[in-house]
Each structure stands twice: as structure tokens, then as C-alpha cells.
Amino acid sequence: MKTKLLASTVTAIGLTLGMTHAIAAPISADIISIVDESGSMGGEHAWLGSVMTSLEAGLAAKNVGTGPQANRYGLTGFGGSSTHFAPHKHAVGGGDFGTAAQFGTAAGTLVTNGGTEDGWAGIDYALNNYTYNVGAAKNLILVTDEDRDNTNAALTYAGMESAINTAGGILNAVVNATFRCGNGSSALGLAGGGVGYVADGSGGFTTCSGATAISGFGSTIADYVDLAIATGGAAWDLNFLRAGGNLATSFTAAFVDIKVQEIITTPEPATLALLGLGLAGIGASRRRKAA
């Protein structure tokens, strides 16, 4: 009896996982960039305005956002002066979300006049002040060259990690930090498991193993790099972007490619629900057999 029960349990799990695999890719993505508006960020603002077009092309090639529900791009600013100090929305196409092309225009409304930046406050704002599409992957991109200035003591690392994971989101951090591969070579960025991304000298990139964050501005690693990795995202060294030339081209190529891979492997809410139903069915079957 136990052998039959084990076999039926394994079969049911296999069927459930097979079904979830078939529907794993999201139908679209909601992508919000959370951007530092301090005085040193002009180059990153210009880069964001163009990189979303490349990201949209990459997602379309994977059939994400090509159906009735399109990909949407939002923009949250923080850390500027006056009305741009607290986290706030920048309209994209006249609303909270717009197309990649409309995002490019919206990026031009970012300012560069602040000096106190709380990225956690920006992330918290983006999670709680936008209405996300059902079935869309939720992807957050934090862009800042400073560590966190604490303007809200109620926000904690554990709370931020829980909030992102509970929302089904993934965070990427484009920050002022240095990464190294296990072989000592410089990395453009890194993801979980020590996977690093390395410029190939021709505007492309390769991967390496054993990558770690070895230094960062102030508490950047503890504030942002660790948080991005903990939510299934990646962290990126914006100094490669600032270097220009092939290094900046490699940075953008790696960033777009990895973002696409993140998004297409983000399970839909229906996937997790279906898995739960499958496991619940297994439990019911076991109770009936036990009776």
C-alpha cells in the first residue's frame, strides 16, 4: 500500500509540475525603474531612456507582451530636491505605465538636483502605489550611485525582502559596487549562485563562476546588492556604464539579456496556484487511502 501511495504521489507531482511548466512564462511584464535624482545621475537617466527599447525588443522575441496584454513601463523618482525628494511617479505616456518608447520620453523628466537618497523608500513606494496587471511579471530596477540614506526608519532589510517576494517581484540593482569573478577578473554584475557577467572586449559578454561583491559605496552591498540577489535578481556595476565604449555596450547587452531571462522564467500566479491545487489533491488522496 505504501509503495502504491508513493508511486501515485510522485506521478501526481510530476503531472502537476508538467502542467505548470507549460504555462510558466508570463503573458506580459510590468517593469518599474526606481531612479535616484541626485546631481550625479544624468548619464544613467539618459541610458534608461534608451535601454527599455532594447528590453522590449528582447521580450517581444520571446513572445512576452505581444498578445492582448502588452508590456508596461513605469518610472519612480526619488532623492531630488523639493517635490522630487520623496518617492513619486513620473508620468509615462500620460499615466502610471506606458510603452518603452513613452518611457524614453518620461526619463527626460527626471531631475539631477538632490543629495539625500533612500532607495528602500523608492522600492516601497513602487510596490504599493502602482496597480499591476494580473499575470504580468513584476520587475523592479533600482538605479543609484549612492548607498541608502535612511529617511524611513520603519523600513528594514527583512521587511523589504519579504515585501518584494510576497508581491512576486524581482529586484535588479544598478549601483556603485565592484564585482569579481572567482578567477579574479572584473565582472559587470552578478546573480545568485555566484554567476558573474564579464565584458568580452567586443561589446558582448561571457559568464564566470564564483563572482562576489568585493566593495561598494558605503553600505551599498548590504543595502542593495544583497537585496537584489535575495529576490532572484542581479546587481550591476554602473561604473562600466560610465566608462563608455565597448564596456558600456557590454554592460547594456548583459543587462538586457539577463533581464529577459529573469522575466520569461518568472512563474505566473496561476502556475503557483496550480501547483498548490496539485499538492492539495495529493494530500486528499493520501487521507482517503489512510481512511
Side-chain angles (χ1 to χ4, degrees):
M1 178 66 72
K2 289 183 178 179
T3 301
K4 290 182 179 179
L5 180 57
L6 177 60
S8 64
T9 300
V10 171
T11 300
I13 291 175
L15 288 172
T16 301
L17 291 177
M19 293 171 69
T20 59
H21 177 74
I23 63 170
I27 58 177
S28 67
D30 284 344
I31 301 163
I32 298 182
S33 296
I34 304 156
V35 186
D36 175 352
E37 293 188 275
S38 62
S40 56
M41 292 294 294
E44 286 71 32
H45 295 177
W47 172 74
L48 275 171
S50 62
V51 75
M52 294 306 161
T53 302
S54 298
L55 180 56
E56 177 66 17
L59 291 173
K62 299 295 184 180
N63 295 318
V64 176
T66 56
Q69 186 164 291
N71 300 319
R72 304 189 303 169
Y73 298 82
L75 180 59
T76 291
F78 69 94
S81 64
S82 187
T83 58
H84 288 263
F85 175 71
H88 55 280
K89 297 174 183 176
H90 286 254
V92 181
D96 289 354
F97 289 101
T99 66
Q102 290 168 336
F103 179 93
T105 300
T109 66
L110 292 165
V111 301
T112 53
N113 59 11
T116 300
E117 309 91 354
D118 188 344
W120 285 5
I123 295 167
D124 181 68
Y125 181 89
L127 287 173
N128 292 293
N129 289 276
Y130 289 83
T131 300
Y132 295 89
N133 271 335
V134 175
K138 300 181 183 71
N139 210 277
L140 307 176
I141 303 170
L142 174 69
V143 186
T144 179
D145 62 355
E146 303 278 351
D147 59 354
R148 182 191 179 215
D149 294 322
N150 188 348
T151 65
N152 183 350
L155 299 177
T156 65
Y157 180 93
M160 295 304 302
E161 181 182 350
S162 176
I164 296 169
N165 288 331
T166 299
I170 292 178
L171 173 68
N172 268 238
V174 180
V175 292
N176 191 358
T178 301
F179 309 111
R180 288 280 187 274
C181 299
N183 62 8
S185 59
S186 297
L188 303 163
L190 83 164
V195 177
Y197 308 106
V198 182
D200 65 3
S202 302
F205 72 98
T206 60
T207 60
C208 70
S209 60
T212 58
I214 63 169
S215 66
F217 182 90
S219 56
T220 293
I221 294 174
D223 292 339
Y224 301 137
V225 174
D226 291 348
L227 185 61
I229 302 303
T231 64
W236 304 89
D237 179 359
L238 57 70
N239 292 294
F240 284 98
L241 183 61
R242 291 178 172 181
N246 277 340
L247 288 175
T249 302
S250 291
F251 181 95
T252 299
F255 179 84
V256 169
D257 189 69
I258 301 311
K259 292 297 295 176
V260 170
Q261 293 303 313
E262 283 176 1
I263 289 169
I264 66 175
T265 55
T266 301
E268 287 186 78
T271 300
L272 300 178
L274 184 58
L275 179 58
L277 287 173
L279 294 176
I282 292 168
S285 175
R286 295 181 68 175
R287 288 192 295 273
R288 286 196 300 271
K289 289 180 181 294

